[in-house]
Amino acid sequence: MKKIEAIIRKTKFEDVKEALLAADIEWFSYYDVRGEGKMRQARIYRGVMYDTSCIERILINVVVRDKNVERTLDAIQKAAQTGEIGDGRIFVIPIEDAIRIRTAERGDIALYNAEQEN
């Protein structure tokens, strides 16, 4: 099992969500996050200077079986990519175990129902 964390542009969230659902990834969590990037700019809008070093993004977390990792990565990458600086990052983290609290099932089966063989 792997945990995939993706930090993406807010404007690409709906595209990524649709791509994950199309790839049969039915459960994930997401959060509004802020971070600091390399780009340090001040922008002027209607005579007021704004600091743009604080970047607002969406952080998506999804835990998948090993056989679904590449499909998930491809879905996120293709949907989130604009080709410009600031598209984001994807991190793949190994997961040692998963436990479904309701049934005490462990491992891969804790991620999805037994009748689902994705």
Side-chain angles (χ1 to χ4, degrees):
M1 290 177 289
K2 300 282 192 265
K3 178 179 182 181
I4 298 172
E5 290 187 350
I7 301 170
I8 63 168
R9 296 174 183 268
K10 283 186 157 193
T11 57
K12 298 301 281 181
F13 175 69
E14 288 299 321
D15 294 339
V16 171
K17 180 173 81 170
E18 293 301 318
L20 287 172
L21 293 173
D24 293 327
I25 305 301
E26 298 174 346
W27 188 92
F28 57 90
S29 56
Y30 60 93
Y31 313 90
D32 287 328
V33 295
R34 294 180 185 196
E36 294 286 327
K38 275 188 196 177
M39 299 296 288
R40 301 268 188 242
Q41 288 183 310
R43 296 194 184 222
I44 298 175
Y45 178 72
R46 294 190 179 187
V48 178
M49 187 175 291
Y50 295 92
D51 178 17
T52 60
S53 62
C54 181
I55 304 166
E56 292 188 359
R57 295 287 187 255
I58 299 282
L59 171 65
I60 297 173
N61 286 325
V62 59
V63 177
V64 296
R65 296 175 180 177
D66 289 332
K67 66 182 180 179
N68 293 333
V69 171
E70 287 304 317
R71 175 174 28 171
T72 306
L73 293 173
D74 288 343
I76 294 170
Q77 169 126 26
K78 288 177 183 172
Q81 187 175 33
T82 67
E84 298 178 10
I85 293 174
D87 277 351
R89 300 277 192 279
I90 302 173
F91 305 99
V92 180
I93 306 156
I95 297 291
E96 189 172 321
D97 201 1
I99 304 166
R100 186 183 305 222
I101 294 173
R102 178 175 54 89
T103 62
E105 294 168 305
R106 297 184 77 126
D108 283 357
I109 196 67
L111 299 179
Y112 302 99
N113 294 328
E115 56 274 3
Q116 291 179 335
E117 274 304 312
N118 301 3

